Amino acid sequence: MPHLLIVEDEPTTSWALAEGLSDDGYTIDTFRTAEDAQRWLRRGTSDLVITDLRLPGISGLEFATKLARGRHAQPVILVSAYSVDDQTEALDAAGVVAVFSKPFQIDALRRSVRGALDAPATRRAPARRAA
Ligand code: CA
C-alpha cells in the first residue's frame, strides 16, 4: 500500500487532503511542518509527499529539494496559495510532479497522486503540470 506524507500547517486543508485521499487506500501521515516530516523520515519511508509551499519552518520547496538530494527521493505534489510559475527549474530539480493552486479540486489531486505513483521514476519529472 503506498504511503503518503501530507505536510500542511492549515488544519482544514490538511484534513481535506487526508480525507479526500483516504478512500484510495493509502497509508497517510500528516505533519504541520517539514521539519516534523523530516524527523519522521529518519525512521520511516514514504512513496509520495504532498506539501504546502508556505510552512512555519522551511518551505515545501526547500523540503522537496532536500528529499530529491537524499535517499528519500520521491515524487512531490505541491499545493500553494501563491504562484510558483517563476520557479520551474527549482520545481523540476526538487521532483515536484504537480502544482495545485488553493483552492484545489480534490478529485484532480487524487488523479495526480495516482498518476505519480504509477509513473516510472524516469518519467516523473516531465509530468509536472499546473492545475
Ligand atoms: Ca501554509
Side-chain angles (χ1 to χ4, degrees):
M1 195 59 61
H3 198 135
L4 311 189
L5 304 189
I6 294 171
V7 188
E8 167 61 270
D9 57 312
E10 293 168 7
T12 51
T13 307
S14 181
W15 180 87
L17 286 166
E19 180 69 15
L21 288 158
S22 63
D23 287 346
D24 296 334
Y26 306 120
T27 304
I28 298 172
D29 278 289
T30 61
F31 304 90
R32 206 178 70 82
T33 68
E35 287 84 345
D36 288 343
Q38 284 178 315
R39 246 186 307 279
W40 186 91
L41 281 168
R42 287 184 200 150
R43 286 160 189 255
T45 57
S46 61
D47 301 291
L48 183 141
V49 168
I50 302 169
T51 182
D52 185 27
L53 178 63
R54 300 241 174 138
L55 296 163
I58 67 166
S59 75
L61 186 52
E62 286 177 81
F63 175 45
T65 302
K66 286 175 192 281
L67 283 179
R69 290 175 180 163
R71 64 190 176 90
H72 291 293
Q74 59 196 282
V76 174
I77 293 175
L78 199 64
V79 294
S80 178
Y82 306 90
S83 172
V84 289
D85 290 348
D86 57 343
Q87 298 181 68
T88 310
E89 280 182 33
L91 294 173
D92 286 342
V96 175
V97 295
V99 179
F100 284 85
S101 303
K102 294 180 181 178
F104 53 83
Q105 297 287 326
I106 189 67
D107 286 338
L109 196 139
R110 287 170 65 189
R111 280 194 298 277
S112 182
V113 168
R114 217 172 301 137
L117 290 171
D118 287 347
T122 50
R123 283 183 21 216
R124 277 173 185 158
R128 187 178 58 76
R129 59 178 173 75

